Amino acid sequence: MAKQIQSIRGMHDILPDESGQWFWLESRARLILERYGYREIRTPIVEKTELFKRSIGEVTDIVEKEMYTFEDRNGDSLSLRPEGTASCVRAGIQHGLFHNQQQRLWYQGPMFRHERPQKGRYRQFQQIGVETFGFAGPEIEAELIALSKRLWDELGIDDVTLELNTLGTPESRRAYREVLVAFYEANRDQLDEDSLRRLDGNPLRILDSKNPQMQALNEGAPSLHDHLDDESKAHFEMLCRLLDDIGIDYRLNLRLVRGLDYYSHTVFEWTTTSLGAQGTVCAGGRYDGLVTQLGGRPTPAAGFAMGVERLLELIRVRQGEQGAYRPDAYLLLAGEAAQQAGFALAERLRGDLPALKLQVNIGGGSFKAQMKRADKSGADVALIVGDDELAAGHVTVKPLRDRDAAQQTVPYDSVRAILEARGETRDD
Ligand code: HAM
């Protein structure tokens, strides 16, 4: 036998048993986004490498070590997108979506990062992301947080915590950066290799080092909150008030700085302890400077992205098989004449009952074998047509899940009413 080819490490197939859950989550998210007035944008999966270098930042884990970068046939450096914000901003500038306008956008799709795979951390993973442009006040951050909370409620997720911080205006962040660099310079002998490298490019990232020795040093580091200017404080306080007004709890986490460079003012993460080490299911914040950084006119912006695999894992942990696909009905064809006519009959049913999910038995088999398949399909009812039923224009409707309900043999025209009464022709 020829050698089998496996999928790439950290990149997974979504098999039919799981894809129903994906669809279920995606459709709920889309519905909520539409309720808040967000419109979908779709951008290419491959972009110029420079886009990510200039937006996410040169001294970040993503750009330094995690991008799938390659030269195309013209010698241009391209990368698989590691996230969606940069592409959204690029597209908005390119197509004139920002100037004197407000935009509420969302997207979904695969992102690629060459990280060390583990549970909840993959090299290809799916994000649903939301980006807003043209809103300077903290109401938009409150809306983003409210919208994500509504989605958790809808999905039945209640074991997530909102962690919140502010990085302040670029000016106050710059002033803080100087104080912080001076602090680390004074303690240079205690810095690990990663921190020494970050000291020049991205000293704030030293603050969320996972190294216990660095964590001890960080305890004594100056706090950004002591260096916030009035504008930064007012913005953050207003956001906290808006969240209080709608009863959303949050935990102030002064160490939260995020792994991408483009943030200013608010940053937030929804985290859970139910998933082990990879507990952040959704993260984002404000990034007012990014549009100008990428060549556009000054445009306030804020957004977030959620990791779909992590959310699905969380739902599985809590709820089992929510959203799994199953047909409404399975059509059994017993007898030679019925088998011949069955294919056309199934098409007629689909034409007459557009909301019905119907699987037809193909490939014959004894009545018992067909019943077994019907049961395995997960369908709620079996529709049985034998030669006698065919001759009389009848169909037998046999409930499969509730054993007490009786089966009925009825004229074809009555099948619709029976299925509708059973709720089999829902439109979801
Ligand atoms: P991020 O924190 O890099 O932010 O990713 C957002 C979410 O994507 C994470 O909280 C996590 O749930 C999921 N995620 C990230 N990496 C992986 C991975 N390797 N495997 C599985 N899931 C993962 C961003 O990407 C920003 N673009 C968010 C944003 C939008 N900020 C403003 N607008």
Side-chain angles (χ1 to χ4, degrees):
M1 260 201 298
K3 190 166 175 276
Q4 292 178 9
I5 299 172
Q6 306 285 317
S7 64
I8 295 165
R9 197 161 110 85
M11 302 197 182
H12 296 289
D13 302 306
I14 295 159
L15 299 177
D17 273 353
E18 304 156 274
S19 57
Q21 284 205 330
W22 282 74
F23 180 75
W24 174 77
L25 189 148
E26 286 159 2
S27 48
R28 270 147 205 68
R30 176 186 284 266
L31 216 65
I32 287 181
L33 287 159
E34 285 178 353
R35 285 177 63 195
Y36 279 80
Y38 287 72
R39 297 183 303 154
E40 187 181 7
I41 182 167
R42 300 186 187 198
T43 61
I45 287 173
V46 182
E47 297 269 5
K48 290 183 181 148
T49 303
E50 192 197 349
L51 173 67
F52 302 116
K53 284 194 176 167
R54 265 169 62 186
S55 53
I56 298 169
E58 300 254 10
V59 194
T60 55
D61 284 351
I62 295 179
V63 169
E64 279 184 333
K65 348 182 217 195
E66 294 170 0
M67 285 214 293
Y68 282 88
T69 298
F70 56 94
E71 271 191 11
D72 76 355
R73 288 175 191 277
N74 304 327
D76 295 330
S77 179
L78 306 181
S79 295
L80 297 184
R81 61 181 182 196
E83 57 109 51
T85 309
S87 306
C88 261
V89 173
R90 188 223 15 92
I93 297 170
Q94 186 174 336
H95 301 287
L97 302 186
F98 298 154
H99 187 50
N100 285 336
Q101 295 177 66
Q102 293 183 328
Q103 294 287 352
R104 287 179 165 93
L105 307 175
W106 72 274
Y107 53 88
Q108 67 173 338
M111 308 293 161
F112 302 85
R113 296 182 194 176
H114 195 275
E115 297 191 79
R116 189 129 54 93
Q118 62 180 84
K119 184 162 165 274
R121 194 209 273 155
Y122 310 105
R123 290 182 172 170
Q124 176 177 331
F125 58 97
Q126 190 83 2
Q127 279 186 350
I128 298 176
V130 177
E131 314 291 353
T132 66
F133 300 93
F135 303 92
E139 293 86 351
I140 199 69
E141 286 110 305
E143 177 175 296
L144 291 169
I145 289 170
L147 179 165
S148 48
K149 171 71 166 63
R150 200 172 285 281
L151 182 60
W152 313 149
D153 290 348
E154 178 89 2
L155 298 177
I157 293 174
D158 57 10
D159 48 353
V160 283
T161 305
L162 174 63
E163 306 207 17
L164 198 59
N165 192 19
T166 178
L167 304 177
T169 57
E171 295 74 40
S172 65
R173 200 172 154 187
R174 216 167 293 130
Y176 172 62
R177 191 189 143 114
E178 279 174 27
V179 179
L180 197 63
V181 170
F183 169 80
Y184 287 127
E185 286 290 0
N187 294 283
R188 207 182 170 90
D189 53 330
Q190 294 180 51
L191 299 187
D192 63 11
E193 205 181 306
D194 253 0
S195 305
L196 279 171
R197 211 164 30 79
R198 285 174 170 157
L199 188 55
D200 281 336
N202 196 352
L204 262 74
R205 284 287 284 162
I206 304 178
L207 286 173
D208 68 356
S209 167
K210 303 281 178 291
N211 178 349
Q213 182 198 328
M214 289 306 305
Q215 284 174 344
L217 178 65
N218 284 336
E219 290 297 319
S223 163
L224 172 63
H225 281 240
D226 295 335
H227 294 83
L228 290 178
D229 55 25
D230 289 345
E231 183 196 338
S232 306
K233 279 188 202 151
H235 188 100
F236 193 60
E237 278 162 16
M238 174 75 168
L239 171 62
C240 293
R241 254 202 315 280
L242 290 168
L243 293 177
D244 292 339
D245 284 349
I246 53 172
I248 293 188
D249 294 332
Y250 49 86
R251 196 173 76 83
L252 209 59
N253 177 358
L254 303 184
R255 299 260 170 262
L256 185 65
V257 293
R258 308 270 303 123
L260 306 94
D261 275 359
Y262 46 61
Y263 295 105
S264 59
H265 284 294
T266 316
V267 287
F268 65 90
E269 292 190 352
W270 287 96
T271 60
T272 177
T273 50
S274 308
L275 292 180
Q278 303 305 318
T280 307
V281 292
C282 172
R286 180 170 280 282
Y287 51 93
D288 288 346
L290 186 56
V291 178
T292 38
Q293 215 170 298
L294 292 177
R297 298 187 214 204
T299 306
F304 69 78
M306 47 198 152
V308 178
E309 286 85 355
R310 291 184 193 178
L311 285 173
L312 282 173
E313 182 61 30
L314 197 56
I315 292 162
R316 260 195 295 274
V317 168
R318 299 185 45 72
Q319 298 182 349
E321 284 299 299
Q322 190 97 35
Y325 170 83
R326 51 176 196 80
D328 300 316
Y330 190 97
L331 178 60
L332 282 78
L333 304 164
E336 216 166 292
Q339 278 187 19
Q340 278 202 11
F343 187 73
L345 180 68
E347 282 307 303
R348 187 174 160 205
L349 274 163
R350 292 190 183 105
D352 289 343
L353 296 166
L356 182 72
K357 293 184 209 145
L358 175 70
Q359 231 175 61
V360 60
N361 190 79
I362 286 184
S366 66
F367 184 76
K368 199 171 152 205
Q370 292 194 40
M371 261 326 264
K372 241 183 169 164
R373 283 184 209 144
D375 221 26
K376 193 159 174 245
S377 76
D380 239 19
V381 295
L383 303 178
I384 303 165
V385 177
D387 289 349
D388 292 349
E389 279 110 338
L390 187 72
H394 285 171
V395 176
T396 297
V397 182
K398 180 179 166 59
L400 294 173
R401 307 289 140 208
D402 72 69
R403 300 281 169 198
D404 294 341
Q407 72 175 49
Q408 311 171 58
T409 301
V410 297
Y412 177 88
D413 287 340
S414 308
V415 172
R416 175 190 207 123
I418 294 180
L419 293 180
E420 273 173 358
R422 292 184 55 83
E424 299 302 346
T425 54
R426 342 168 268 289
D427 222 347
D428 60 358

